[in-house]
Every structure is written in structure tokens, then in C-alpha cells.
Amino acid sequence: MDYQRILDNVPDYKAFMSVDEMDQSTLKLKEEYPDLVDLTIIGHSRNDHPIYCMKIGHGEKKALMFGCPHPNEPMGAMMLEYFSRALCEDDEFRENCGYTWYLIKCIDIDGTKLNEGWFKGPFNLTNYARNFFRPTSYEQVEWTFPIEYKQLKFDRPMPETKALMKLIDEVKPDFMYSLHNAGFGGAYWYITEDLPELWDQFYHAAQSRGMPLSLGEPEAPYITAFAPAIFKNTGIQEDYDYVEKYADKDSDLSKRFECGTSSNDYASKYGTVSLVGELPYFYSPKIESDKIMPFTRKEALIKGEQIKLNEYDEIAEGYQLYQKYVSDDNPFAKMVEMMIKNRKASYEESVRHVEADDKFNEPCKESEAFDSLDITRFYALLIWGLLVRGVKFECTRHEGDVAQQLKKTAEMLEKKMTVKARAVESIEYSLVPIQTLVRIQLESGLIVSSYIKEKGIER
């Protein structure tokens, strides 16, 4: 498939689109190309906002792409904003690609609206953290697909997840692209199949545009690597097995896991090849540095886990200041509660895992140290942001002395977060242009969809 001209024409976007802007653009595309765009409402969000799905093309192969699987990840929405129009405007490409495309710009609409405070900039770590929102595990579209595994039984998919399940069951996609992106680091990918002939193409898509590969520690210790920065897609089973192996013997795992499994796990029954491309808004060249540090991976990992535990202990103290006033519908507090509830168990499990494996006695590379010691502080700052947003949410729900007390708590926590943010801003980093992110994400998807069409995957 010749798709270079499609990549070359990606606009130089300067901001992310709001949900309303996405909807307006989708409806406009349908109006401009009524014979090419089949637009349907596949469901509604919890707040009753319609979820639009565009069907474009008539190829034999079926592809499903959906943006904002986590609501702080709008890069995929921008990619689909461009790609949907490119499919309509480029007849030759649309016909030759051999696919029927099902495109959903935003699957977690309600959560995405809670991130719109940073969508127009300024684009720095502090503004991102102050306006960041991510739902707790049992309210994440990506991780609320039904599952029964050992002691885990989850069957509470959200309305958005149900809409996606229904579409997957109807389409039975050959290729599915859950459009995630990372916050900070370098480029890495998850895929269901080990396809080594594609890895150099992935690397080139990123590195040719100045994006370093993420060669530090993986997101989770149980992830299987196909190659550097390329990992096997997972369901909840791998996480469960890891916790089961390293948790205290008396742990009740049925209470530890409050979510379901992933979209790729759900679609696997149809032989679907699923891809996730994790590309960061912010990057540092240190994330691919192989410079040897004067300590081991074990030392760096354990120190990183201690940094995380210390941060969450402070967050827990801050949360206690307003916990009794938290409303059931406070979206920010739910993630804070989950992180502080599991913080000690998570720390102990990570330390047991690191101490049990001799590979962590190896000298630590700068990329691994950056992941363990620096990026850890960035992700802790995001929970600080949720902590502050949580108390500000309650300031609007109460009156009188309680409201004044909450306001003072918010001001105090805001000051603490400002100090944390100043330290995180000292980390060496650069901003990735949205155009670059869209090009890498789109090319990664076209690499895999082209391979499936040309080579075929046994289903």
C-alpha cells in the first residue's frame, strides 16, 4: 500500500480538539461526503452524549480504530480527524487499501471533556498535570470488558464499553487499533502477533521523525517483549498472575482487581490483530540512552518504587483532609483512592519481583534509570493533580464553613503541588509536535493493516 502522500499531508495541528469540535467536524464530513461516510450512533456515554462511528470504504478487510480509550489520550482523535477526511478525499488510496474502516474519534466522551483544560495549551508538564483526568480502573473503557479468570469475575462493562463490544461482535475486525498515547518518554508499541518483519518499519516511523524509542523499563514487569520497545498485547490475566505470584499469601485477589480485561483480549476470539502505539507528548533523549550508570537496575527500580510510595503517602495525607466530604460522583477522587489504597501492596510486590530475578543485578542504563527515577515523579504529579481537582470539585458542592475549610485545603494542596511541579519541570524534556505524533501513529497503523492485507493472518 502506497501511503506516503497520506502521511505527508498531515496538517500542522497546534492544539487538540474538544469533544464538541470533534462532533462538529464528523457531522460536517458526513455532510460533505454523504455517499462515502456512513455515520451511525453506536451508543451513548454515561452522561448521554452520542458516540459517533464513521464507516468509510468497502474493502474486504475490516478495520476498527477508536480514539480516547483513556480520556487523557486525545492524539488518536486527531489522527482520526485527519485520516477520515483523507479517506474521503483520496479515492485512489481508499480503493487500493482494501479495507472497510470503522472510525470512532472519541470512545470515552465524558472523561475526555474533563481533560479539555490542557487541550489548547500551554503544553508543559505542569499544565498537563493540573488539568489531567483519568478514571479509576472500573470506569475505564479500555479495561472494563467482561472476564472470568481464577478468582476474578468482572461483568460490569460501562455503556461505552458495551457499545464497543457490540461493534466488535458485529464487525469482527481483521485489524483493531486502540489509539493510546503515553505521557512522557519515548515510542513503544503493543501488538498481538510477533511479526519481526515489521519492527524496523516501526522504528523508522518514529526515529526518522526525531522520536526516540523507549528503551527503559517496560510499563509493567510482566510484559513480554517481542523486541526492544515492542511488546505483546496483554489482558488482565497477565497482571493477575503477576500479583498472585508476588502478593502476600493472605491477599484476597478477588478484592484487589476492580476492573475487567482489555479490548484486544475481548477481540482475540475473532483472530483480530490488535495494535497499540504508545507515543509521548513529552520526550527526553535519555529514554534511549545506553550509557551505563554507577548502580544496578535493582537499585534504580527499588529507589523508584520508594519515590512512588513516598509520593502516594503524601497524597494519602492530603486526601484525608477532605475525604469525609467526598461526593459519590466526584470523578477525581476515585482514582486517588485506588492509587493510595494499593500503594503499599504494589510497592511490596515490585520489590519482591526485583529481588527475585538476577537480571536486575545488571548495570543500569541511563534509559532505565530515567524511567525508574524521573518519569516516576512525573506520573506521581498527575495524581497530585487529581488530588487538587478532587477537593476543588467539592468546593462547589458545599456551603458555609465546610466550603471555606475545603477552599483552604485546596489552597494548601495547590501550594504543595506547585513545589512538586517545579521539581518535575527540572527534568530535561522536549515537546513533540502534534503533527509528528499523528504521522507516527498513522504510519504504525498503516504498516500493520497493509501487512494483514498483503500477507494475511490466519484467523
Side-chain angles (χ1 to χ4, degrees):
M1 188 192 305
D2 180 13
Y3 45 73
Q4 189 57 50
R5 68 179 181 276
I6 301 294
L7 301 173
D8 291 342
N9 291 332
V10 174
D12 186 13
Y13 297 113
K14 298 301 183 183
F16 294 97
M17 300 177 78
S18 68
V19 170
D20 288 343
E21 289 169 338
M22 294 178 207
D23 288 350
Q24 291 166 11
S25 180
T26 296
L27 293 170
K28 182 181 178 182
L29 190 68
K30 169 62 176 176
E31 182 180 337
E32 290 180 42
Y33 297 95
D35 296 331
L36 293 179
V37 180
D38 182 5
L39 185 62
T40 58
I41 296 175
I42 63 167
H44 289 78
S45 74
R46 284 161 291 164
N47 290 336
D48 204 33
H49 192 106
I51 302 171
Y52 291 109
C53 177
M54 294 175 283
K55 177 183 175 184
I56 303 174
H58 301 283
E60 180 181 353
K61 298 292 185 182
K62 306 293 194 308
L64 169 59
M65 298 182 177
F66 53 96
C68 303
H70 288 130
N72 59 301
E73 301 174 357
M75 181 177 67
M78 301 306 296
M79 189 273 275
L80 294 180
E81 167 67 18
Y82 168 70
F83 187 54
S84 58
R85 178 164 288 277
L87 284 170
C88 292
E89 293 178 348
D90 195 321
D91 295 339
E92 182 183 2
F93 173 76
R94 185 181 65 254
E95 295 302 324
N96 289 341
C97 70
Y99 274 85
T100 301
W101 303 92
Y102 295 82
L103 310 176
I104 303 168
K105 288 181 185 175
C106 185
I107 191 65
D108 188 349
I109 290 168
D110 301 340
T112 299
K113 288 183 176 182
L114 294 177
N115 277 280
E116 290 178 351
W118 64 267
F119 280 11
K120 308 302 181 186
F123 296 111
N124 55 55
L125 303 182
T126 301
N127 192 51
Y128 178 65
R130 289 196 189 283
N131 295 282
F132 168 86
F133 171 71
R134 185 154 175 145
T136 191
S137 60
Y138 57 83
E139 292 183 350
Q140 293 183 13
V141 176
E142 179 64 273
W143 287 100
T144 51
F145 288 82
I147 182 73
E148 286 191 41
Y149 184 71
K150 297 183 177 179
Q151 295 181 49
L152 172 61
K153 182 176 181 179
F154 184 91
D155 192 21
R156 303 189 308 277
M158 300 189 306
E160 299 89 339
T161 311
K162 289 180 179 178
L164 202 51
M165 290 166 58
K166 186 172 184 291
L167 186 61
I168 291 170
D169 291 337
E170 290 175 355
V171 173
K172 300 177 177 59
D174 298 273
F175 172 57
M176 188 171 75
Y177 203 179
S178 180
L179 298 170
H180 290 260
N181 58 266
F184 194 170
Y188 58 105
W189 297 263
Y190 293 100
I191 189 169
T192 50
E193 308 288 332
D194 187 5
L195 304 172
E197 54 267 60
L198 302 186
W199 304 160
D200 284 344
Q201 295 180 58
F202 282 180
Y203 297 156
H204 182 265
Q207 293 175 317
S208 65
R209 297 182 175 93
M211 171 71 75
L213 303 179
S214 180
L215 300 180
E217 300 293 350
E219 274 190 280
Y222 51 78
I223 292 172
T224 299
F226 287 141
I230 299 173
F231 305 96
K232 180 176 175 57
N233 243 325
T234 65
I236 198 65
Q237 299 92 328
E238 290 85 353
D239 191 11
Y240 188 103
D241 289 345
Y242 166 79
V243 172
E244 183 180 48
K245 183 175 181 179
Y246 294 105
D248 287 333
K249 293 181 179 179
D250 297 331
S251 296
D252 185 351
L253 298 188
S254 65
K255 295 180 179 179
R256 177 69 180 274
F257 290 89
E258 299 181 274
C259 64
T261 194
S262 60
S263 59
N264 77 82
D265 190 24
Y266 184 80
S268 64
K269 59 189 174 183
Y270 299 116
T272 302
V273 178
S274 296
L275 174 68
V276 171
E278 296 277 7
L279 308 171
Y281 306 119
F282 311 102
Y283 78 94
S284 169
K286 290 182 179 180
I287 203 62
E288 63 176 355
S289 171
D290 60 1
K291 175 183 174 182
I292 298 299
M293 307 301 286
F295 44 80
T296 64
R297 284 178 70 191
K298 177 187 291 187
E299 291 171 307
L301 282 163
I302 292 178
K303 184 176 180 180
E305 289 298 324
Q306 188 64 59
I307 290 171
K308 188 191 303 182
L309 180 61
N310 293 343
E311 291 287 346
Y312 288 168
D313 282 346
E314 282 192 65
I315 290 169
E317 291 174 2
Y319 186 58
Q320 287 175 358
L321 297 176
Y322 71 89
Q323 184 175 10
K324 65 182 178 180
Y325 300 115
V326 170
S327 310
D328 290 340
D329 61 343
N330 186 324
F332 311 104
K334 293 178 183 179
M335 175 61 103
V336 174
E337 287 181 343
M338 184 185 77
M339 300 303 286
I340 61 180
K341 182 182 74 171
N342 294 328
R343 69 190 189 279
K344 292 181 179 178
S346 178
Y347 169 80
E348 292 168 358
E349 289 155 10
S350 296
V351 170
R352 290 190 191 106
H353 170 250
V354 170
E355 290 182 338
D357 196 329
D358 288 341
K359 73 179 179 183
F360 296 115
N361 291 320
E362 300 169 352
C364 187
K365 297 177 182 177
E366 187 173 33
S367 58
E368 296 161 341
F370 187 74
D371 243 329
S372 297
L373 306 177
D374 291 313
I375 293 182
T376 291
R377 291 190 288 139
F378 163 70
Y379 282 111
L381 185 66
L382 302 185
I383 309 304
W384 275 99
L386 291 175
L387 178 72
V388 172
R389 294 188 77 181
V391 67
K392 287 183 176 180
F393 180 90
E394 296 306 334
C395 287
T396 66
R397 297 296 185 92
H398 296 82
E399 299 177 349
D401 292 343
V402 173
Q404 288 301 312
Q405 179 183 338
L406 289 169
K407 183 178 178 181
K408 289 180 181 179
T409 300
E411 291 171 350
M412 184 269 288
L413 293 176
E414 184 89 54
K415 288 180 181 178
K416 281 195 171 186
M417 182 179 175
T418 298
V419 174
K420 301 286 184 182
R422 197 174 296 129
V424 171
E425 287 287 357
S426 69
I427 299 172
E428 177 188 357
Y429 75 92
S430 299
L431 175 69
V432 185
I434 297 174
Q435 181 187 60
T436 299
L437 295 171
V438 169
R439 282 176 168 162
I440 299 171
Q441 189 177 59
L442 178 55
E443 183 169 3
S444 299
L446 293 176
I447 287 168
V448 178
S449 60
S450 298
Y451 181 89
I452 294 171
K453 176 178 176 288
E454 295 165 8
K455 303 291 186 179
I457 300 289
E458 186 173 339
R459 286 159 63 88

